[in-house]
PDB file of all heavy atoms in Angstrom:
ATOM      1  N   MET E  11     -93.283  28.775 -30.162  1.00  0.00           N
ATOM      2  CA  MET E  11     -92.202  28.588 -29.197  1.00  0.00           C
ATOM      3  C   MET E  11     -91.462  27.297 -29.477  1.00  0.00           C
ATOM      4  O   MET E  11     -92.071  26.287 -29.827  1.00  0.00           O
ATOM      5  CB  MET E  11     -92.765  28.552 -27.774  1.00  0.00           C
ATOM      6  CG  MET E  11     -91.695  28.639 -26.688  1.00  0.00           C
ATOM      7  SD  MET E  11     -92.078  27.642 -25.232  1.00  0.00           S
ATOM      8  CE  MET E  11     -91.363  26.069 -25.686  1.00  0.00           C
ATOM      9  N   ALA E  92     -82.002  33.077 -17.965  1.00  0.00           N
ATOM     10  CA  ALA E  92     -83.301  33.748 -18.057  1.00  0.00           C
ATOM     11  C   ALA E  92     -84.212  33.469 -16.871  1.00  0.00           C
ATOM     12  O   ALA E  92     -85.049  34.304 -16.526  1.00  0.00           O
ATOM     13  CB  ALA E  92     -84.005  33.332 -19.351  1.00  0.00           C
ATOM     14  N   GLY E  93     -84.087  32.312 -16.230  1.00  0.00           N
ATOM     15  CA  GLY E  93     -84.944  31.999 -15.081  1.00  0.00           C
ATOM     16  C   GLY E  93     -86.411  32.063 -15.449  1.00  0.00           C
ATOM     17  O   GLY E  93     -86.863  31.434 -16.409  1.00  0.00           O
ATOM     18  N   ASN E  94     -87.184  32.907 -14.733  1.00  0.00           N
ATOM     19  CA  ASN E  94     -88.610  33.026 -15.030  1.00  0.00           C
ATOM     20  C   ASN E  94     -88.902  34.020 -16.152  1.00  0.00           C
ATOM     21  O   ASN E  94     -90.061  34.204 -16.527  1.00  0.00           O
ATOM     22  CB  ASN E  94     -89.404  33.394 -13.776  1.00  0.00           C
ATOM     23  CG  ASN E  94     -88.943  34.709 -13.151  1.00  0.00           C
ATOM     24  OD1 ASN E  94     -88.367  35.574 -13.812  1.00  0.00           O
ATOM     25  ND2 ASN E  94     -89.189  34.870 -11.847  1.00  0.00           N
ATOM     26  N   ALA E  95     -87.876  34.669 -16.694  1.00  0.00           N
ATOM     27  CA  ALA E  95     -87.981  35.572 -17.860  1.00  0.00           C
ATOM     28  C   ALA E  95     -89.019  36.674 -17.651  1.00  0.00           C
ATOM     29  O   ALA E  95     -89.687  37.102 -18.585  1.00  0.00           O
ATOM     30  CB  ALA E  95     -88.301  34.767 -19.124  1.00  0.00           C
ATOM     31  N   ARG E  96     -89.124  37.177 -16.418  1.00  0.00           N
ATOM     32  CA  ARG E  96     -90.135  38.192 -16.130  1.00  0.00           C
ATOM     33  C   ARG E  96     -89.660  39.622 -16.365  1.00  0.00           C
ATOM     34  O   ARG E  96     -90.471  40.541 -16.417  1.00  0.00           O
ATOM     35  CB  ARG E  96     -90.611  38.040 -14.689  1.00  0.00           C
ATOM     36  CG  ARG E  96     -91.431  36.774 -14.467  1.00  0.00           C
ATOM     37  CD  ARG E  96     -91.843  36.607 -13.032  1.00  0.00           C
ATOM     38  NE  ARG E  96     -92.532  35.341 -12.821  1.00  0.00           N
ATOM     39  CZ  ARG E  96     -92.782  34.815 -11.636  1.00  0.00           C
ATOM     40  NH1 ARG E  96     -92.402  35.457 -10.534  1.00  0.00           N
ATOM     41  NH2 ARG E  96     -93.407  33.654 -11.531  1.00  0.00           N
ATOM     42  N   ASP E 118     -86.737  22.444 -16.404  1.00  0.00           N
ATOM     43  CA  ASP E 118     -88.015  22.487 -15.690  1.00  0.00           C
ATOM     44  C   ASP E 118     -88.547  23.912 -15.587  1.00  0.00           C
ATOM     45  O   ASP E 118     -89.761  24.131 -15.654  1.00  0.00           O
ATOM     46  CB  ASP E 118     -87.862  21.895 -14.288  1.00  0.00           C
ATOM     47  CG  ASP E 118     -87.629  20.390 -14.318  1.00  0.00           C
ATOM     48  OD1 ASP E 118     -87.955  19.774 -15.346  1.00  0.00           O
ATOM     49  OD2 ASP E 118     -87.125  19.854 -13.320  1.00  0.00           O
ATOM     50  N   HIS E 119     -87.651  24.886 -15.410  1.00  0.00           N
ATOM     51  CA  HIS E 119     -88.076  26.277 -15.330  1.00  0.00           C
ATOM     52  C   HIS E 119     -88.194  26.919 -16.715  1.00  0.00           C
ATOM     53  O   HIS E 119     -89.059  27.752 -16.952  1.00  0.00           O
ATOM     54  CB  HIS E 119     -87.084  27.088 -14.485  1.00  0.00           C
ATOM     55  CG  HIS E 119     -87.126  26.754 -13.034  1.00  0.00           C
ATOM     56  ND1 HIS E 119     -86.228  25.895 -12.449  1.00  0.00           N
ATOM     57  CD2 HIS E 119     -87.951  27.168 -12.044  1.00  0.00           C
ATOM     58  CE1 HIS E 119     -86.501  25.788 -11.165  1.00  0.00           C
ATOM     59  NE2 HIS E 119     -87.546  26.546 -10.885  1.00  0.00           N
ATOM     60  N   LEU E 120     -87.317  26.519 -17.625  1.00  0.00           N
ATOM     61  CA  LEU E 120     -87.219  27.184 -18.918  1.00  0.00           C
ATOM     62  C   LEU E 120     -88.459  26.970 -19.777  1.00  0.00           C
ATOM     63  O   LEU E 120     -88.983  27.920 -20.369  1.00  0.00           O
ATOM     64  CB  LEU E 120     -85.969  26.680 -19.654  1.00  0.00           C
ATOM     65  CG  LEU E 120     -85.617  27.383 -20.958  1.00  0.00           C
ATOM     66  CD1 LEU E 120     -85.317  28.854 -20.706  1.00  0.00           C
ATOM     67  CD2 LEU E 120     -84.405  26.706 -21.607  1.00  0.00           C
ATOM     68  N   GLY E 121     -88.935  25.735 -19.850  1.00  0.00           N
ATOM     69  CA  GLY E 121     -90.091  25.440 -20.697  1.00  0.00           C
ATOM     70  C   GLY E 121     -91.315  26.255 -20.325  1.00  0.00           C
ATOM     71  O   GLY E 121     -91.872  26.980 -21.178  1.00  0.00           O
ATOM     72  N   PRO E 122     -91.765  26.192 -19.062  1.00  0.00           N
ATOM     73  CA  PRO E 122     -92.940  26.987 -18.679  1.00  0.00           C
ATOM     74  C   PRO E 122     -92.727  28.492 -18.836  1.00  0.00           C
ATOM     75  O   PRO E 122     -93.653  29.213 -19.234  1.00  0.00           O
ATOM     76  CB  PRO E 122     -93.146  26.614 -17.206  1.00  0.00           C
ATOM     77  CG  PRO E 122     -92.520  25.261 -17.067  1.00  0.00           C
ATOM     78  CD  PRO E 122     -91.346  25.268 -17.992  1.00  0.00           C
ATOM     79  N   ALA E 123     -91.520  28.984 -18.531  1.00  0.00           N
ATOM     80  CA  ALA E 123     -91.248  30.417 -18.659  1.00  0.00           C
ATOM     81  C   ALA E 123     -91.376  30.865 -20.113  1.00  0.00           C
ATOM     82  O   ALA E 123     -91.960  31.920 -20.401  1.00  0.00           O
ATOM     83  CB  ALA E 123     -89.858  30.744 -18.117  1.00  0.00           C
ATOM     84  N   CYS E 124     -90.844  30.072 -21.029  1.00  0.00           N
ATOM     85  CA  CYS E 124     -90.914  30.428 -22.453  1.00  0.00           C
ATOM     86  C   CYS E 124     -92.349  30.367 -22.969  1.00  0.00           C
ATOM     87  O   CYS E 124     -92.778  31.222 -23.764  1.00  0.00           O
ATOM     88  CB  CYS E 124     -90.011  29.505 -23.267  1.00  0.00           C
ATOM     89  SG  CYS E 124     -88.246  29.839 -23.077  1.00  0.00           S
ATOM     90  N   LYS E 125     -93.102  29.384 -22.523  1.00  0.00           N
ATOM     91  CA  LYS E 125     -94.500  29.280 -22.951  1.00  0.00           C
ATOM     92  C   LYS E 125     -95.302  30.485 -22.479  1.00  0.00           C
ATOM     93  O   LYS E 125     -96.099  31.059 -23.238  1.00  0.00           O
ATOM     94  CB  LYS E 125     -95.110  27.985 -22.406  1.00  0.00           C
ATOM     95  CG  LYS E 125     -94.626  26.729 -23.110  1.00  0.00           C
ATOM     96  CD  LYS E 125     -95.282  25.479 -22.526  1.00  0.00           C
ATOM     97  CE  LYS E 125     -94.760  24.225 -23.211  1.00  0.00           C
ATOM     98  NZ  LYS E 125     -95.353  22.990 -22.621  1.00  0.00           N
ATOM     99  N   GLU E 126     -95.086  30.873 -21.224  1.00  0.00           N
ATOM    100  CA  GLU E 126     -95.807  32.025 -20.688  1.00  0.00           C
ATOM    101  C   GLU E 126     -95.423  33.296 -21.433  1.00  0.00           C
ATOM    102  O   GLU E 126     -96.278  34.130 -21.756  1.00  0.00           O
ATOM    103  CB  GLU E 126     -95.508  32.176 -19.198  1.00  0.00           C
ATOM    104  CG  GLU E 126     -96.244  33.322 -18.534  1.00  0.00           C
ATOM    105  CD  GLU E 126     -95.914  33.465 -17.057  1.00  0.00           C
ATOM    106  OE1 GLU E 126     -95.336  32.529 -16.474  1.00  0.00           O
ATOM    107  OE2 GLU E 126     -96.228  34.533 -16.493  1.00  0.00           O
ATOM    108  N   LEU E 127     -94.125  33.445 -21.719  1.00  0.00           N
ATOM    109  CA  LEU E 127     -93.658  34.641 -22.421  1.00  0.00           C
ATOM    110  C   LEU E 127     -94.220  34.684 -23.846  1.00  0.00           C
ATOM    111  O   LEU E 127     -94.608  35.751 -24.338  1.00  0.00           O
ATOM    112  CB  LEU E 127     -92.132  34.662 -22.447  1.00  0.00           C
ATOM    113  CG  LEU E 127     -91.487  36.012 -22.758  1.00  0.00           C
ATOM    114  CD1 LEU E 127     -91.663  36.965 -21.585  1.00  0.00           C
ATOM    115  CD2 LEU E 127     -90.009  35.843 -23.072  1.00  0.00           C
ATOM    116  N   GLN E 128     -94.259  33.539 -24.508  1.00  0.00           N
ATOM    117  CA  GLN E 128     -94.799  33.492 -25.868  1.00  0.00           C
ATOM    118  C   GLN E 128     -96.270  33.885 -25.888  1.00  0.00           C
ATOM    119  O   GLN E 128     -96.728  34.578 -26.807  1.00  0.00           O
ATOM    120  CB  GLN E 128     -94.628  32.091 -26.444  1.00  0.00           C
ATOM    121  CG  GLN E 128     -95.026  31.975 -27.917  1.00  0.00           C
ATOM    122  CD  GLN E 128     -94.100  32.749 -28.845  1.00  0.00           C
ATOM    123  OE1 GLN E 128     -93.097  32.227 -29.302  1.00  0.00           O
ATOM    124  NE2 GLN E 128     -94.433  34.004 -29.141  1.00  0.00           N
ATOM    125  N   ARG E 130     -97.679  35.991 -23.804  1.00  0.00           N
ATOM    126  CA  ARG E 130     -97.762  37.436 -23.564  1.00  0.00           C
ATOM    127  C   ARG E 130     -97.254  38.251 -24.752  1.00  0.00           C
ATOM    128  O   ARG E 130     -97.655  39.401 -24.930  1.00  0.00           O
ATOM    129  CB  ARG E 130     -96.965  37.816 -22.308  1.00  0.00           C
ATOM    130  CG  ARG E 130     -97.533  37.268 -21.020  1.00  0.00           C
ATOM    131  CD  ARG E 130     -97.065  38.091 -19.814  1.00  0.00           C
ATOM    132  NE  ARG E 130     -95.626  38.285 -19.797  1.00  0.00           N
ATOM    133  CZ  ARG E 130     -94.766  37.484 -19.170  1.00  0.00           C
ATOM    134  NH1 ARG E 130     -95.218  36.422 -18.527  1.00  0.00           N
ATOM    135  NH2 ARG E 130     -93.472  37.722 -19.181  1.00  0.00           N
ATOM    136  N   VAL E 136     -90.174  32.822 -29.788  1.00  0.00           N
ATOM    137  CA  VAL E 136     -89.420  32.534 -28.577  1.00  0.00           C
ATOM    138  C   VAL E 136     -88.712  31.191 -28.728  1.00  0.00           C
ATOM    139  O   VAL E 136     -89.319  30.191 -29.117  1.00  0.00           O
ATOM    140  CB  VAL E 136     -90.339  32.509 -27.335  1.00  0.00           C
ATOM    141  CG1 VAL E 136     -89.574  32.039 -26.096  1.00  0.00           C
ATOM    142  CG2 VAL E 136     -90.926  33.895 -27.088  1.00  0.00           C
TER     143      VAL E 136
END
Side-chain angles (χ1 to χ4, degrees):
M11 192 216 88
N94 59 24
R96 291 178 185 167
D118 291 340
H119 290 98
L120 187 62
C124 287
K125 287 181 182 178
E126 182 181 345
L127 198 71
Q128 186 67 89
R130 293 202 310 268
V136 173

